[in-house]
Amino acid sequence: MMSFSLVATDIDGTLINSERVLTRRTLDVLAQVPVPVILVTGRPMRWLDQLQDQLPHPLPAVCANGAVIYDPDTDQILRAESMPAEVLLDVTKRLRDAVPDVVLAVEVEDGRSFLHEQAWPRLWEGDHRIRVISTPEELTSAPAVKLLARSATADPDDFLELVSRTLGDRAVATRSSSSALVEISAAGVTKAAGLAWLCEREGVTAEQVVAFGDMPNDIPMLSWAGRAVAMGNAHPAVKEIADDVCASNDDDGVARYLREAFDL
């Protein structure tokens, strides 16, 4: 039996299956794990309910790739790291100059609201928390926990490389989507930084953490954790840095690994 004091897991492509469901096996294992389980996700806060509603008790969450740390027991944001408006102005200008077909959106109000340009794909009709901006200035008028940049034509990995090169050390770029969608956070904000802050608060060291992930935005967290586990369906770059590779998310990879790790 391995010795861990905390489990950190991504959500999409990792803990839930392709139908966005927690399977009975996963729920059973989560109920038996004898240490805290932390969700570490690129999702904003408003997308947590879809998962938390499937759980008997909601789990603490590091959201927006480390920018927002949320305690569901008290319904409090413990920490939020936003990009100031002046940084957003600079970053959006750089992106528009470098990517002719770029379309932008922002997560504001600690990830409770989403503003996007007219050309952004509309996937959530009727959600009052999501709004089309009427002027470009609206996009950079307030601090944002995440800026999102989309290209309709670029290769996803090439687009991430281009955006990262364009931004330099002004902000952090990563991706969790299979499309050319890049997620941009304030300098220093990653899943690793958010998780490390929460672990320090709880008296847990990196060596005591086992972490699960599947996409490039998980790499900082996996590199930080004492044991890094890539999903069977993970991006090649994630598998390359992982200590272990478990079964896919559609084959209950996290649950299978935890059952063995904790001898459940």
Side-chain angles (χ1 to χ4, degrees):
M1 182 173 112
M2 302 181 198
S3 179
F4 301 117
S5 298
L6 187 141
V7 175
T9 178
D10 175 47
I11 298 176
D12 298 284
T14 301
L15 189 63
I16 59 176
N17 62 20
S18 297
E19 302 299 318
R20 298 186 176 182
V21 169
L22 286 168
T23 66
R24 173 49 52 191
R25 174 189 284 170
T26 296
L27 286 166
D28 287 346
V29 168
L30 289 177
Q32 296 177 64
V33 171
V35 301
V37 178
I38 306 294
L39 304 172
V40 189
T41 179
R43 289 188 183 201
M45 282 185 56
R46 68 178 186 283
W47 282 3
L48 287 181
D49 289 351
Q50 185 269 338
L51 177 80
Q52 301 281 32
D53 288 348
Q54 299 179 55
L55 293 162
H57 305 289
L59 297 173
V62 177
C63 308
N65 290 326
V68 178
I69 299 175
Y70 176 66
D71 180 358
D73 291 333
T74 60
D75 191 29
Q76 284 187 325
I77 293 173
L78 303 178
R79 186 176 187 242
E81 295 286 322
S82 299
M83 277 184 288
E86 61 269 21
V87 174
L88 281 172
L89 273 169
D90 179 34
V91 167
T92 54
K93 183 181 185 307
R94 293 187 190 199
L95 291 172
R96 294 191 203 283
D97 290 344
V99 188
D101 73 337
V102 74
V103 183
L104 302 172
V106 288
E107 298 280 359
V108 293
E109 297 178 29
D110 299 329
R112 297 180 193 268
S113 298
F114 185 72
L115 308 179
H116 63 86
E117 294 181 328
Q118 186 71 38
W120 193 271
R122 300 192 191 189
L123 306 175
W124 316 279
E125 295 293 344
D127 190 332
H128 70 278
R129 300 167 297 182
I130 298 168
R131 184 167 60 80
V132 182
I133 59 172
S134 53
T135 66
E137 289 73 28
E138 279 188 84
L139 203 67
T140 56
S141 62
V145 293
K146 191 197 290 188
L147 170 69
L148 297 100
R150 183 187 292 275
S151 169
T153 58
D155 170 82
D157 287 326
D158 291 346
F159 187 51
L160 174 57
E161 183 180 346
L162 171 61
V163 171
S164 298
R165 192 168 63 247
T166 300
L167 301 184
D169 60 3
R170 194 67 164 130
V172 177
T174 189
R175 78 176 184 90
S176 60
S177 170
S178 58
S179 63
L181 172 62
V182 169
E183 303 160 49
I184 300 161
S185 304
V189 173
T190 64
K191 284 191 174 187
L195 178 60
W197 183 90
L198 188 56
C199 284
E200 183 177 1
R201 189 174 184 266
E202 300 299 321
V204 175
T205 65
E207 291 71 26
Q208 296 172 303
V209 176
V210 58
F212 299 85
D214 71 307
M215 288 298 282
N217 65 327
D218 294 311
I219 290 175
M221 171 179 71
L222 296 176
S223 300
W224 176 83
R227 197 74 183 172
V229 186
M231 305 305 295
N233 51 287
H235 188 284
V238 177
K239 290 182 178 179
E240 188 175 330
I241 60 95
D243 299 307
D244 296 321
V245 177
C246 67
S248 74
N249 66 315
D250 283 329
D251 200 24
D252 297 323
V254 173
R256 288 170 179 264
Y257 191 96
L258 291 177
R259 189 180 291 282
E260 182 175 342
F262 288 101
D263 194 23
L264 301 175

